[in-house]
Amino acid sequence: MGLSEALGQRDTEALLPVTQAMELRKRNYYVERPLLNQEQLEELGCLTSATETHQWRTWFQCSYTRARALLLQHLPVLAWLPRYPVRDWLLGDLLAGLSVAIMQLPQGLAYALLAGLPPVFGLYSSFYPVFIYFLFGTSRHISVGTFAVMSVMVGSVTESLAPDEDFLQAENATVDEEARDAARVQLAATLSVLVGLFQVGLGLVHFGFVVTYLSEPLVRGYTTAASIQVFVSQLKYVFGLQLSSRSGPLSLIYTVLEVCWKLPQSVVGTVVTALVAGVVLVLVKLLNDKLQRHLPLPLPGELLTLIGATGISYGVGLKRRFGVDVVGNIPAGLVPPVAPNPQLFASLVGYAFTIAVVGFAIAISLGKIFALRHGYRVDSNQELVALGLSNLVGGIFRCFPVSCSMSRSLVQESTGGNTQVAGAVSSLFILIIIVKLGELFQDLPKAVLAAVIIVNLKGMLKQFTDICSLWKANRVDLLIWLVTFVATILLNLDLGLAVAVVFSLLLVVFRTQLPRYSVLGQVPDTDIYRDVAEYSECGVDVDHLISRKKKLVKKQEQKLKRLKKLQKQTAASKDTSVSIEVHSSTRDMESNNVEDSKAEGEGSAMSCRDGGAHACPERKATDLPAVSTGNELEGMAASGQEGAKAPDVTTLKALGLPQPHFHSLILDLGALSFVDTVCLKSLKNIFRDFREIEVEVYMAACHTPVVAQLEAGHFFDASITKQHLFASVHDAVLFALQHPRSSPASPVLMTKL
C-alpha cells in the first residue's frame, strides 16, 4: 500500500462512523506465522513436562493454615456466621423461618404417615436434620426436612419389611399396631443411619459428580412417577380402607385394583372429611396466588386447616360418632438416642444407597438453582456431607431419611430468607411444638393429613407438561422421561430408578457409537473451516476399494507363479521337439490372460504386439496350428516375470481401479478430550487403510493431554510421526496442498470427529 493510498484510507475512515471505521481496520488486520507441525510447535513453545504432583502428600501435612482451612471447609457456619449482617438480614430470616415452620408442622405429620410411621416421628425429622444442616450446609435457601418422594420411598421399605400380616393377633385377627410401629420405627431409623453413612462417605471421597448420571429428564420423570405412588398410597386414608401391604413390581397396580374392589367399604365420614379439607386447602392456595402482591406473608392454609380440623374432631367426636381415624397419642418431649440395629444392615443396604442418591440429587439440583439466582457457590461434595450428617444424626434420634422440599424452599426464599438462620429458626419452632404443643393434635383426622399430602402434589403432577415441551425440544430426553416414568410405576421406586439410570447410560453409549462427522470446507480468504453440506456417506468406500486391490494383486501373483512353472517346464524340454499340446497349453494361458486383463479393466486383451517380448504365432495356409519353439515360450515367461516386477504394478491406476478424488485426509481431533487403546488402534487402521488407496492422512488440533496419551500408547513410529500432527487444521491443509501424494489438482478432504 503506497503513501497516497494510506492517506486516502485514513481520510475515508475519518468520514465514517466509529463502528464502521473499526470494522474497516479489522479487515486490514492479519497474522503471519510459519506452518507448524507438532514437533515444530513443541520446539517453538519450549514444551516441558509438567511436574508430577501427588495430591495425597498434602493430606498428611499439618499446619495451622491447613487445619483452619479444613475446619472452615467442613463446618461452613464458622465462615459465614461471624460476618452475618444482623441489621440487614435478621428480620427476613426470622419471618422466613416462621413461615417455613408453619408449613413444616403439617407436612411433617403428614409425611410421617406417608412413611408408614406414627406422625410424631415426622416432627422429629423436621427438627434434628434441619439444625444439623444449618451447621454443615452450603446452600443458603433450601429447606431441609421431610419430603414426599423420600417419605414414600421409606414407606415402601417399612411396609415391605414389616407388613401388617406379621403383626396379626391370634385371638381376634387384628393388627398389633404398637408392635408394628415399633418395628417400622427401628427400620426407618436404621435406614436413615445407612443413608447418612453412604452420603458422608461419598462426600469425603469427592463423589459429588455421581448426580451427573441423573439427568434432569430422568429426575423429573422419576419424581412424577413418585407423585403417583404418593397419591395412590394416600387413598386408603381418604376412603378409610384397610389395604394389604404390597411391595415390588406391579405393587402399585395391585393397590389400585384393591382400592377399586373395596370402594363399597369406604367410611363416609372419612371421605367427607378429606374432601372438605382438600377444598379448603385448594381455596387458600388460590387466594394466596391472587393476593400474593398484597400479602406480606402467605396465608398458612395448612396450619389453619389442621387447627380447625383438630378442633372440629375434638368437639364433634369424629372418631367416636363417625369412625374417622385420628392421629392418636403424640408423646411430649424428645426421645433419647438409640443405636441402629446392625442385623438390619444387610436387608437395607440396597434401599439405603438408592435413597441416598435420590435425596442428594433433589437437594443439589434445588441448591444450584438458588445459588445461580443469588450469585453464590454450592459445594456438591460438602452438600453430600451435610445431608449425610443430617440423616446420620437424625437416624440416631429415630428420624427417617430426609432431603429438601421445593415448596418450603420457595417460601423460604420469597419471604426474605437469606441464610440457613431461617432453617435454624424453623427447627427451634418445631422443637417448641414437640415439647409443649404436640399433644394438642391427638384428635387430628388422618384424612386431613392425606388431603395435605395430595394437594401438595400439585407441583410434581404439573411435570406431566414436560411431555409436550420435550416432544418439541428433544425427543431423546422425552424417551428418557417416559422410560423412567413407566419403569418407576411398574417396578416400584428402587428398581425403577435402577432401570432408568441403566437406560440413560446405554442411550449415551448408543449415541456415542453413532457419531456425526463433517466434511469441512474453507471460508474464502480465512483459515476457518466449516461443514460444507450434509452427506450420507463420504464418497469413497475404502474397504471395498482395498478388497478389489488385494484380489487383483493376488491374481497377478498367481499368474507369476504359473509363468515361473512354465519357464521350468520349457527349460526341461529345451532339446526336444515341441508338440501341438504344448502350443495348445500356451494358447490356453493366453486366453486366461485375456480374461484377467478384461476383468481388471486394463482396456485391452493380451495379444500379439509388434516388438513384444514374445513372438506372434504364424498360421500356415492350411490353417494348421502353428508350432512355438522353446525359445519363444521362454521369452514369454521372462516377459511376464519382468511385468510382475514393475514398480507401479500395484498402484490403483496400474490395476485399473478408480482413484479417490482427494489426495489427503485431515482429521480434526480438537473435540477429543482423551483417547484409549481402541481409539489408538482405530487411528492406526485409518492411516493404514487410506495409505493403501494412496491417500495421505494428517491429524490436527490435538490437545496436550491427547498428545501425551498418543505418546504413551506408542502411537508414533517410523511410519507415523509428529510431523503428521499439526497445530491447526489450516496448517495441515497448507502442508497437504504443498506436498500432495498424488495429483496436485486433487482436493484435500477434512473430517471433524
Side-chain angles (χ1 to χ4, degrees):
M1 181 181 293
L3 179 61
S4 60
E5 293 179 355
L7 293 175
Q9 181 177 351
R10 186 180 303 172
D11 294 339
T12 303
E13 292 180 3
L15 296 175
L16 291 175
V18 177
T19 56
Q20 295 185 12
M22 291 177 64
E23 184 65 27
L24 187 60
R25 293 191 190 100
K26 288 180 181 178
R27 294 177 185 174
N28 296 329
Y29 178 78
Y30 67 96
V31 175
E32 184 175 341
R33 64 170 177 82
L35 186 151
L36 296 174
N37 58 32
Q38 186 64 27
E39 286 184 347
Q40 296 166 338
L41 178 64
E42 292 177 359
E43 182 179 355
L44 180 65
C46 300
L47 179 68
T48 58
S49 58
T51 305
E52 185 178 2
T53 60
H54 298 283
Q55 184 67 27
W56 59 268
R57 291 181 179 175
T58 62
W59 298 348
F60 302 100
Q61 295 177 358
C62 185
S63 65
Y64 171 78
T65 305
R66 175 165 172 76
R68 185 175 183 275
L70 285 175
L71 182 63
L72 296 179
Q73 177 184 352
H74 294 295
L75 197 60
V77 67
L78 297 179
W80 62 264
L81 191 58
R83 300 194 301 267
Y84 182 79
V86 177
R87 185 174 299 177
D88 297 332
W89 285 1
L90 182 59
L91 181 60
D93 283 337
L94 288 175
L95 292 176
L98 181 62
S99 302
V100 169
I102 291 173
M103 291 184 65
Q104 188 90 271
L105 170 61
Q107 289 184 4
L109 296 172
Y111 292 156
L113 206 65
L114 189 59
L117 305 173
V120 68
F121 291 95
L123 297 180
Y124 299 153
S125 301
S126 302
F127 167 62
Y128 291 105
V130 177
F131 192 78
I132 296 298
Y133 185 83
F134 160 75
L135 300 175
F136 295 94
T138 59
S139 175
R140 303 204 312 245
H141 293 88
I142 65 172
S143 174
V144 173
T146 57
F147 183 51
V149 174
M150 299 287 287
S151 299
V152 75
M153 295 179 75
V154 174
S156 67
V157 176
T158 57
E159 292 181 3
S160 63
L161 297 182
D164 292 341
E165 291 77 8
D166 292 351
F167 301 93
L168 292 176
Q169 296 177 346
E171 57 272 10
N172 53 8
T174 59
V175 177
D176 186 355
E177 294 184 359
E178 185 176 351
R180 181 201 63 186
D181 291 344
R184 289 182 176 180
V185 167
Q186 188 180 40
L187 280 170
T190 305
L191 180 65
S192 182
V193 170
L194 279 178
V195 169
L197 289 175
F198 272 122
Q199 290 176 334
V200 171
L202 292 175
L204 292 178
V205 298
H206 291 195
F207 224 68
F209 69 89
V210 71
V211 293
T212 58
Y213 297 106
L214 302 179
S215 61
E216 183 180 356
L218 188 149
V219 173
R220 292 177 70 87
Y222 184 79
T223 53
T224 306
S227 67
I228 300 297
Q229 297 263 11
V230 172
F231 177 80
V232 172
S233 69
Q234 296 306 295
L235 293 180
K236 63 180 180 180
Y237 299 111
V238 172
F239 295 104
L241 301 175
Q242 295 293 330
L243 302 180
S244 303
S245 298
R246 289 188 173 87
S247 62
L250 301 180
S251 60
L252 183 70
I253 308 299
Y254 292 137
T255 302
V256 173
L257 294 177
E258 187 177 2
V259 169
C260 296
W261 180 260
K262 291 186 176 181
L263 273 180
Q265 305 175 16
S266 301
V267 179
V268 177
T270 302
V271 176
V272 172
T273 302
L275 287 176
V276 172
V279 170
V280 171
L281 288 169
V282 170
L283 290 178
V284 173
K285 286 184 179 295
L286 292 176
L287 189 62
N288 279 329
D289 293 339
K290 212 156 201 178
L291 302 178
Q292 183 178 6
R293 298 181 180 178
H294 307 286
L295 295 175
L297 294 175
L299 295 176
E302 295 170 345
L303 181 61
L304 294 176
T305 303
L306 260 63
I307 295 174
T310 303
I312 294 173
S313 174
Y314 177 77
V316 177
L318 292 181
K319 179 177 177 61
R320 184 182 71 258
R321 296 178 58 185
F322 301 102
V324 177
D325 196 12
V326 297
V327 169
N329 181 42
I330 298 180
L334 299 173
V335 294
V338 178
N341 186 0
Q343 297 178 355
L344 298 175
F345 284 0
S347 58
L348 293 176
V349 63
Y351 300 108
F353 183 78
T354 303
I355 294 174
V357 173
V358 172
F360 173 63
I362 295 170
I364 195 62
S365 59
L366 282 178
K368 287 185 175 180
I369 289 173
F370 288 116
L372 185 64
R373 186 181 299 176
H374 293 276
Y376 62 91
R377 180 178 172 272
V378 172
D379 186 347
S380 59
N381 295 309
Q382 181 60 28
E383 284 295 292
L384 258 177
V385 173
L387 274 179
L389 290 174
S390 299
N391 285 312
L392 180 61
V393 175
I396 296 174
F397 287 93
R398 301 187 187 181
C399 302
F400 55 86
V402 299
S403 183
C404 72
S405 166
M406 175 175 285
S407 60
R408 293 198 307 271
S409 300
L410 291 173
V411 169
Q412 179 170 323
E413 180 203 29
S414 62
T415 53
N418 295 291
T419 63
Q420 282 301 324
V421 169
V425 171
S426 68
S427 66
L428 292 177
F429 186 79
I430 295 295
L431 176 62
I432 296 173
I433 294 175
I434 294 173
V435 174
K436 295 294 183 182
L437 305 177
E439 56 187 1
L440 298 178
F441 293 97
Q442 292 182 1
D443 291 310
L444 175 64
K446 290 183 178 179
V448 176
L449 296 178
V452 171
I453 292 173
I454 292 174
V455 171
N456 279 309
L457 293 177
K458 174 189 172 184
M460 286 190 288
L461 292 175
K462 286 175 66 176
Q463 293 177 158
F464 277 109
T465 57
D466 291 350
I467 297 176
C468 297
S469 59
L470 290 177
W471 175 264
K472 299 176 183 178
N474 192 321
R475 296 184 182 178
V476 175
D477 285 345
L478 174 61
L479 183 61
I480 295 175
W481 196 100
L482 292 175
V483 169
T484 304
F485 178 82
V486 173
T488 306
I489 290 292
L490 297 180
L491 302 178
N492 217 343
L493 293 168
D494 48 354
L495 292 177
L497 179 63
V499 170
V501 172
V502 170
F503 177 79
S504 181
L505 293 177
L506 288 178
L507 195 60
V508 171
V509 173
F510 178 76
R511 294 174 74 181
T512 56
Q513 297 306 308
L514 299 174
R516 178 184 180 274
Y517 70 88
S518 303
V519 178
L520 305 180
Q522 184 182 15
V523 179
D525 301 327
T526 70
D527 62 349
I528 301 174
Y529 297 87
R530 292 293 183 265
D531 191 358
V532 295
E534 298 289 339
Y535 290 106
S536 60
E537 54 180 312
C538 186
V540 177
D541 191 342
V542 179
D543 293 335
H544 180 65
L545 194 57
I546 293 176
S547 177
R548 291 181 60 188
K549 178 180 178 181
K550 288 182 178 180
K551 287 181 180 179
L552 292 177
V553 171
K554 187 176 181 180
K555 284 185 178 180
Q556 284 196 349
E557 291 176 352
Q558 292 175 350
K559 186 191 301 182
L560 180 60
K561 290 180 180 178
R562 289 199 303 267
L563 291 175
K564 287 182 177 180
K565 184 177 180 180
L566 182 61
Q567 184 180 13
K568 292 179 180 179
Q569 293 176 353
T570 305
S573 58
K574 192 171 184 180
D575 296 331
T576 61
S577 59
V578 181
S579 63
I580 299 298
E581 287 77 2
V582 174
H583 181 68
S584 298
S585 64
T586 305
R587 291 179 60 85
D588 292 340
M589 182 188 69
E590 291 178 355
S591 177
N592 290 336
N593 287 337
V594 170
E595 293 177 359
D596 290 344
S597 300
K598 290 180 178 179
E600 297 164 11
E602 294 182 1
S604 62
M606 188 174 182
S607 58
C608 301
R609 298 176 184 174
D610 293 336
H614 59 279
C616 179
E618 299 179 356
R619 290 188 176 270
K620 297 182 179 180
T622 57
D623 290 335
L624 293 175
V627 179
S628 298
T629 63
N631 292 333
E632 291 171 346
L633 289 174
E634 185 177 4
M636 184 176 66
S639 174
Q641 188 173 4
E642 291 173 1
K645 292 181 180 179
D648 60 346
V649 75
T650 58
T651 61
L652 297 176
K653 185 176 182 180
L655 294 172
L657 294 175
Q659 295 178 275
H661 61 279
F662 56 93
H663 61 76
S664 299
L665 173 67
I666 298 173
L667 303 177
D668 182 1
L669 305 183
L672 295 184
S673 58
F674 72 96
V675 291
D676 54 12
T677 55
V678 177
C679 182
L680 294 178
K681 292 179 181 178
S682 299
L683 288 175
K684 280 185 173 289
N685 290 339
I686 290 174
F687 272 85
R688 181 198 63 202
D689 291 345
F690 276 90
R691 285 173 173 176
E692 192 76 20
I693 61 172
E694 302 166 16
V695 174
E696 189 55 74
V697 181
Y698 302 101
M699 300 182 297
C702 271
H703 298 295
T704 302
V706 176
V707 176
Q709 291 168 352
L710 292 175
E711 294 174 339
H714 304 289
F715 177 77
F716 298 110
D717 52 23
S719 61
I720 305 175
T721 65
K722 286 188 178 180
Q723 295 180 358
H724 293 87
L725 177 59
F726 290 86
S728 68
V729 174
H730 192 60
D731 290 332
V733 171
L734 293 179
F735 183 85
L737 292 175
Q738 295 172 7
H739 304 82
R741 178 163 180 164
S742 57
S743 172
S746 302
V748 177
L749 181 66
M750 290 158 289
T751 302
K752 185 176 183 65
L753 301 180

